[in-house]
C-alpha cells in the first residue's frame, strides 16, 4: 500500500459516515470532484475495495469497516493534537447545539451556566427547532454537533446519553370538566383534541395511547409551539396534551384546566445525541453536562 494522506483519510471517513460523496464534500468544505479524487486515490492504494454502491448510498465492505476503525482512531489522535496546539487563553471553539422548545424553557439555562463555567473558551450556538426529527437529521449530517431530543427514533449511528423524563398532562378550557374528577380518555374525547404538527413525537405517543383504548377523537392542528397550542386551549378550541412544567403558571392563573385521566397522560424521555466520531469529544462532554443540568434543575423544581 502506498502512503496515504490525512485528506484522503478524512474523505473516506466522511463518505463512510454520511453515505454519499456529495454530503462528505459539503462537510469538508470541498468540491464533490475533489472528494471523489481523494477517495479514488485511497481506494487505489488499498488491495481490497472499501466501499460499494447500494442504491443511492455508499456502504462499507468488510475491509471498509476495518479501515473505518483505524481511521477513527487516527483522526481522534489528530483531533487531540489539534486541541493541544490551540489550547491558549484566546482560542475559541463553537458548539452547535439543537434543542426543542421544552428544553429551552426548562433546564437549558442551567446547561448554559455550567458550560460557561467548565468551557469558557467554547461558544455555544443554540438552534431552536420544533421538530425533533429535523434535529436528529441535522446531527446525522453533521450540521449540528449536539442536540437534545425525545428519546424516540434515534439512529444507532449516533451517540446517545439519557437525560430527563418530561411529564405531560391533558389540559382543557377552564370549566369544561368538573374539578378534580378522574376522567376516562373516552370522556376526554368529547372535546376536539388539538395536536401539534404531524411529525411531533408527543402526537405519535398520544395517538398510540388513544388507539389502544379504542378512542378516536376529532383532531385539530395547533401548529408547532407549546404556547401557541396552549393559547388555543385557553380560547376554548379543545383539549391538548402539553408538558406539565410549562403549564404550571397557566393553571395557577386559571387560564387552562389540568385534567387527570385514566390511563394517565404519557411522559417523554429526553436524550442528548451526537455523532460517534473523533471530533465529538466536546459533544460527549457537553452531553454529560446536560445530564447534570437536568438533575440540578429537577431538584430545584422539587424544593
Amino acid at each position: 500500500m502506498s502512503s496515504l494522506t490525512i485528506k484522503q483519510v478524512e474523505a473516506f471517513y466522511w463518505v463512510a459516515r454520511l453515505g454519499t460523496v456529495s454530503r462528505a464534500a459539503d462537510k469538508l468544505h470541498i468540491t464533490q470532484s475533489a472528494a471523489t479524487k481523494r477517495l479514488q486515490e485511497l481506494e487505489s492504494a488499498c488491495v481490497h475495495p472499501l466501499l460499494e454502491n447500494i442504491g443511492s448510498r455508499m456502504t462499507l465492505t468488510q475491509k471498509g469497516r476495518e479501515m473505518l476503525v483505524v481511521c477513527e482512531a487516527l483522526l481522534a489522535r489528530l483531533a487531540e493534537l489539534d486541541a493541544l496546539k490551540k489550547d491558549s487563553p484566546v482560542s475559541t471553539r463553537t458548539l452547535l447545539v439543537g434543542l426543542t422548545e421544552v428544553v429551552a424553557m426548562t433546564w437549558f439555562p442551567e446547561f448554559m451556566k455550567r458550560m460557561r463555567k467548565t468551557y469558557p473558551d467554547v461558544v455555544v450556538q443554540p438552534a431552536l427547532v420544533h421538530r425533533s426529527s429535523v434535529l436528529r437529521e441535522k446531527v446525522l449530517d453533521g450540521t449540528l454537533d449536539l442536540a437534545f431530543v425525545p428519546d424516540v427514533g434515534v439512529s444507532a449511528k449516533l451517540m446517545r446519553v439519557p437525560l430527563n423524563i418530561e411529564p405531560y398532562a391533558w389540559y382543557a378550557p377552564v370549566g369544561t370538566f368538573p374539578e378534580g374528577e378522574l376522567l376516562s380518555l373516552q370522556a376526554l374525547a368529547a372535546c376536539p383534541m388539538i395536536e401539534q404538527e404531524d411529525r411531533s413525537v408527543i402526537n405519535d405517543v398520544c395517538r398510540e395511547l388513544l388507539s389502544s383504548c379504542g378512542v378516536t377523537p376529532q383532531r385539530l392542528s395547533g401548529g408547532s409551539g407549546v404556547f401557541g397550542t396552549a393559547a388555543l386551549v385557553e380560547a376554548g378550541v379543545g383539549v391538548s396534551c402539553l408538558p406539565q412544567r410549562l403549564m404550571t403558571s397557566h393553571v395557577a392563573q386559571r387560564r387552562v384546566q389540568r385534567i387527570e385521566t385514566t390511563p394517565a397522560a404519557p411522559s417523554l424521555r429526553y436524550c442528548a445525541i451526537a455523532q460517534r466520531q473523533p471530533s465529538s469529544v466536546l459533544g460527549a462532554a457537553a452531553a454529560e453536562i446536560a445530564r447534570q443540568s437536568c438533575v440540578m434543575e429537577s431538584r430545584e423544581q422539587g424544593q
Side-chain angles (χ1 to χ4, degrees):
M1 177 186 290
S2 60
S3 298
L4 302 180
T5 68
I6 298 302
K7 290 182 178 181
Q8 292 167 357
V9 170
E10 287 177 331
F12 167 73
Y13 175 84
W14 284 110
V15 169
R17 281 298 182 202
L18 301 180
T20 67
V21 174
S22 62
R23 294 174 76 179
D26 289 341
K27 180 66 180 179
L28 293 169
H29 304 292
I30 59 177
T31 64
Q32 186 170 336
S33 60
T36 299
K37 183 175 182 294
R38 293 176 189 180
L39 189 62
Q40 289 173 341
E41 290 171 345
L42 183 141
E43 288 205 286
S44 67
C46 298
V47 177
H48 302 283
L50 303 177
L51 293 156
E52 58 184 354
N53 286 311
I54 297 182
S56 60
R57 293 181 63 84
M58 302 190 77
T59 61
L60 293 167
T61 63
Q62 178 59 40
K63 287 297 180 182
R65 288 190 287 271
E66 294 173 9
M67 184 71 161
L68 180 61
V69 173
V70 176
C71 290
E72 283 181 333
L74 172 63
L75 292 175
R77 300 293 80 79
L78 289 171
E80 291 173 6
L81 287 172
D82 190 54
L84 288 172
K85 181 181 67 177
K86 295 179 179 178
D87 189 17
S88 70
V90 296
S91 66
T92 59
R93 289 173 288 175
T94 299
L95 186 70
L96 304 176
V97 179
L99 64 155
T100 64
E101 182 181 17
V102 173
V103 172
M105 297 298 295
T106 51
W107 53 265
F108 190 69
E110 176 67 22
F111 169 77
M112 288 295 295
K113 182 173 71 175
R114 287 172 174 256
M115 282 294 296
R116 292 189 196 101
K117 182 178 180 180
T118 308
Y119 294 102
D121 63 324
V122 172
V123 176
V124 176
Q125 185 173 319
L128 182 60
V129 178
H130 290 295
R131 288 186 179 181
S132 57
S133 58
V134 173
L135 291 175
R136 294 195 300 268
E137 291 166 4
K138 287 181 176 292
V139 173
L140 274 170
D141 67 18
T143 306
L144 292 174
D145 300 310
L146 180 70
F148 308 127
V149 296
D151 195 358
V152 177
V154 175
S155 170
K157 295 180 180 179
L158 297 176
M159 177 198 73
R160 173 184 152 277
V161 176
L163 298 176
N164 62 312
I165 295 176
E166 194 66 45
Y168 278 65
W170 294 101
Y171 294 89
V174 172
T176 303
F177 300 103
E179 292 286 347
E181 184 173 317
L182 185 65
L183 296 180
S184 67
L185 293 179
Q186 285 84 354
L188 185 71
C191 294
M193 291 195 174
I194 307 170
E195 297 182 330
Q196 296 183 45
E197 57 193 352
D198 287 341
R199 298 178 69 184
S200 167
V201 171
I202 192 63
N203 274 6
D204 294 339
V205 173
C206 286
R207 287 182 179 185
E208 184 176 344
L209 174 63
L210 293 167
S211 177
S212 69
C213 296
V215 178
T216 54
Q218 177 188 358
R219 294 188 172 94
L220 303 176
S221 176
S224 59
V226 170
F227 292 111
T229 304
L232 295 180
V233 174
E234 184 179 359
V237 175
V239 301
S240 190
C241 189
L242 300 166
Q244 292 184 23
R245 289 195 290 175
L246 299 192
M247 291 296 102
T248 302
S249 62
H250 283 64
V251 173
Q253 296 167 14
R254 300 287 296 167
R255 296 172 62 186
V256 297
Q257 175 187 0
R258 178 173 161 177
I259 308 299
E260 300 296 337
T261 61
T262 179
S267 296
L268 289 184
R269 162 76 75 176
Y270 273 72
C271 65
I273 56 173
Q275 285 202 4
R276 300 179 187 273
Q277 63 185 51
S279 59
S280 66
V281 176
L282 177 60
E288 174 57 24
I289 290 175
R291 188 191 66 79
Q292 296 169 4
S293 301
C294 292
V295 172
M296 178 59 67
E297 200 267 346
S298 296
R299 286 176 181 171
E300 292 176 351
Q301 287 286 322
Q303 291 179 351

